[in-house]
Amino acid sequence: MRPGTILCLGHSYAGHLGRDRAPDDVPEHPNVFVKTANTLCGPDDPVVLPPAVQHADYEGEIAVVVGRRAHCVPLAEAEAYVGGLTLFDDVSARDWQSRTSQWTLGKCVDGFGQLGPAVVTADEALPITGRELTVERDGVVTVRSSTDDLVFSPAFLIHHLSQVLTLEPGDVIATGTPAKLPEAAAAHVPLRHGDAVTIAVTGLGSLTTTFVAGASPAPRPTPGGPL
């Protein structure tokens, strides 16, 4: 089943909310954006870096898979709508993302949403607390965090989102990424051909994304020349 809706969160871990915020100063509402269906790829698919994207970045996340139709779900009942959890690499084109006030083009590049490798059902995946999330780029740990720092729980997200849109079975809610470690952020360079990123979460397994350079588009025919 392919998700009909892919919703994602920005700045959803303590420590990724801005350095000027106090530790207990967390937002009341999640910062939600959409990734379109063309972004999805499987756990064994390489992610192609198109020539038009000069600054691709990775984000290691836990994704909630909706288990049943959810519309105006009360918070107290929302956990029952979680079908399971899996892993998600919210690959982002930072150069396109920064061109406008909207993130859409930077987040919706073909194949920039690797999902998998398996859905761990809610009875085993919940509660989400107390799990370590790590991300490695080419064998170097760049993110190390705990799900205890996640601001919004899977149940809250289903409750909150279902107040204004109906979630269907198989829909995906990516819960956001922790901030990179300071030394990794300082040394960060855009993703390149051959890079590999591995996301691992206790109890949910690991997902490795391999990045490959895309071919340049064929030149347009010269006006008046051969077709």
Side-chain angles (χ1 to χ4, degrees):
M1 177 184 295
R2 289 184 66 86
T5 301
I6 310 156
L7 299 167
C8 304
L9 270 65
H11 307 297
S12 58
Y13 276 78
H16 198 201
L17 297 169
R19 298 186 184 278
D20 56 342
R21 283 181 181 263
D24 58 350
D25 179 17
V26 296
E28 182 180 357
H29 305 292
N31 186 5
V32 181
F33 62 92
V34 172
K35 284 181 86 85
T36 44
N38 64 296
T39 62
L40 281 184
C41 64
D44 299 319
D45 296 328
V47 170
V48 178
L49 302 171
V53 173
Q54 299 301 309
H55 190 161
D57 196 4
Y58 56 92
E59 295 186 8
E61 309 188 10
I62 297 169
V64 179
V65 180
V66 177
R68 45 193 283 216
R69 195 169 192 265
H71 176 73
C72 293
V73 177
L75 180 57
E77 301 173 14
E79 190 168 291
Y81 290 75
V82 177
L85 303 179
T86 190
L87 303 178
F88 187 68
D89 192 347
D90 174 20
V91 185
S92 305
R94 300 298 188 203
D95 47 343
W96 286 78
Q97 183 179 342
S98 64
R99 289 179 182 180
T100 70
S101 62
Q102 304 298 312
W103 294 0
T104 304
L105 289 181
K107 292 292 187 176
C108 294
V109 178
D110 289 342
F112 272 29
Q114 193 184 40
L115 188 69
V119 177
V120 180
T121 55
D123 58 326
E124 296 183 10
L126 299 178
I128 199 174
T129 53
R131 299 170 185 266
E132 183 180 64
L133 185 156
T134 60
V135 181
E136 293 185 7
R137 177 178 179 177
D138 297 325
V140 177
V141 175
T142 58
V143 175
R144 188 184 302 278
S145 187
S146 168
T147 54
D148 291 341
D149 291 331
L150 189 62
V151 176
F152 302 104
S153 70
F156 177 84
L157 293 174
I158 287 178
H159 155 72
H160 178 75
L161 294 167
S162 73
Q163 303 308 302
V164 292
L165 62 91
T166 300
L167 300 169
E168 300 290 352
D171 285 350
V172 168
I173 307 166
T175 59
T177 183
K180 291 182 175 67
L181 296 170
E183 58 272 24
H188 176 75
V189 295
L191 290 162
R192 299 165 293 201
H193 176 81
D195 282 351
V197 171
T198 297
I199 304 158
V201 177
T202 307
L204 301 181
S206 63
L207 173 68
T208 297
T209 310
T210 302
F211 294 89
V212 297
S216 297
R220 296 172 66 95
T222 303
L227 297 179

